[in-house]
Amino acid sequence: MELALFIPFAALALAGGLGVIASGRAIHSALSLLLVLSSLAVLYLLLGAQFIAVLQVIIYAGAIVVLFLFVIMLLHMATGEPAARGVRPWRAGATVAAALFFAALLSAVVRTRATADLGAAPGFGFGTAEAVGRTLFTRFLLPFELASVILLVGIIGAVVLAKGALTLRVHAESRAADEAEEPREEALTR
Amino acid sequence: MVPLPAYLVLGALLFSLGMIGVLVRRNALIVFMSIELMLNSVNLTFVALSRHLGSMDGQLAVFFTIVVAGVEVVVGLAIIVEIFRSRATVNLDDVDLLRG
């Protein structure tokens, strides 16, 4: 039963991963990313992590991908990227490096032969919001507070980055308006 | 019953795909999405091992990864939009100077 769900969704995740890196348009990559994220949410459910699966759908698929789509549409990029400027050997090298890295990971997985099974089914309440919350507010209280600080920094950073350009443009416009106005005043006084 | 290595290998494959994307693609947005792909593959590994060990710690690690990834996306996309406003490009090879 689990295998019948695992195989198709693992395949979907891999197909989506390929789509992210291989599609020509950024918007297709974003939609492939959505595919990966939702298939991973199903796999989290299979692994008994209900709360994380819900978080995955709400935050990743809901907020982050939408943000990506907003930015892609904002930048109205019809095309992906200009024709590669002599990066062919580099591209092959990168693929080989990634393949070697995968081989290293694979050998690490193979070496831990003792972990061939997932173990007993988790007890009732494993991976629920209650279990996550209980752990979060007892053993992970300090990281939790730090996470809130990081979120605050992110909010401030985004506002400053967005507003910085705005104020600059307003300054430039008002300066242009001043320069346009000054000669007129001179003409009046003369 | 799905064996644990199946999840680990899937995570490794997704991570390698993301790595190729980061190294090969020059569109800043696609590089960014590849980074998200890599983060997600690590999350899958965390959740699988959390289930294997019967401990919630892995899921908490995923929780914090999601928080940090959210912040990273917000700030990173703001920076990309800012670069696009000033340079009219999102090609990473065009923005290889620290000086504006």
Side-chain angles (χ1 to χ4, degrees), chain A residues 2-3 6 10 13-14 17-18 20-24 26 29-30 33 36-37 40 43-44 46-49 52 55-56 59-60 64 67-68 71-72 75 77 80-82 85 90-91 94-95 98 101-102 105-106 109 115-122 126-127 131-132 135-136 139-140 143-144 147 150-151 154 158 161-162 165 169, chain B residues 1-27 29-30 32-34 36-37 39-41 43-44 47-57 59-71 73-82 84-85 90-91 93-94:
Chain A
E2 275 186 31
L3 207 61
F6 175 81
L14 281 178
L18 269 178
V20 169
I21 66 169
S23 57
S29 290
L33 186 65
V36 178
L37 299 178
L40 284 188
L43 294 186
Y44 293 164
L46 276 183
L47 286 167
I52 297 295
L55 277 190
Q56 172 90 357
I59 298 183
Y60 260 119
I64 291 184
L67 202 59
F68 267 114
V71 170
I72 291 168
L75 305 188
M77 288 184 308
E81 49 212 78
R85 295 177 291 226
W90 177 32
R91 182 171 294 200
T95 311
F101 184 76
F102 174 68
L105 286 179
L106 200 62
V109 171
T115 62
D117 197 19
L118 262 185
F126 179 80
V132 173
T135 322
L136 195 59
R139 295 189 31 233
F140 287 85
F144 177 74
I150 290 180
L151 280 173
L161 280 171
R169 205 185 308 142
Chain B
M1 196 67 172
V2 185
L4 173 68
Y7 288 101
L8 299 184
V9 169
L10 177 63
L13 268 174
L14 284 176
F15 193 93
S16 309
L17 281 179
M19 193 173 159
I20 295 177
V22 168
L23 291 174
V24 167
R25 298 307 297 261
R26 293 297 87 203
N27 185 329
L29 284 164
I30 294 180
F32 222 55
M33 288 180 218
S34 304
E36 292 303 315
L37 190 62
L39 283 172
N40 267 282
S41 71
N43 281 353
L44 178 67
V47 173
L49 285 172
S50 151
R51 164 74 198 277
H52 174 66
L53 298 172
S55 142
M56 290 296 296
D57 291 9
Q59 297 191 18
L60 268 297
V62 173
F63 177 83
F64 290 116
T65 311
I66 291 179
V67 169
V68 174
V71 174
V73 165
V74 167
V75 175
L77 286 180
I79 291 174
I80 290 177
V81 169
E82 196 54 34
F84 184 78
R85 272 185 188 154
V90 289
N91 190 322
D93 286 339
D94 293 341

Side-chain angles (χ1 to χ4, degrees), chain A residues 7 38 52 65 174 184:
Chain A
I7 291 175
S38 19
I52 297 295
V65 171
S174 64
R184 196 157 53 89

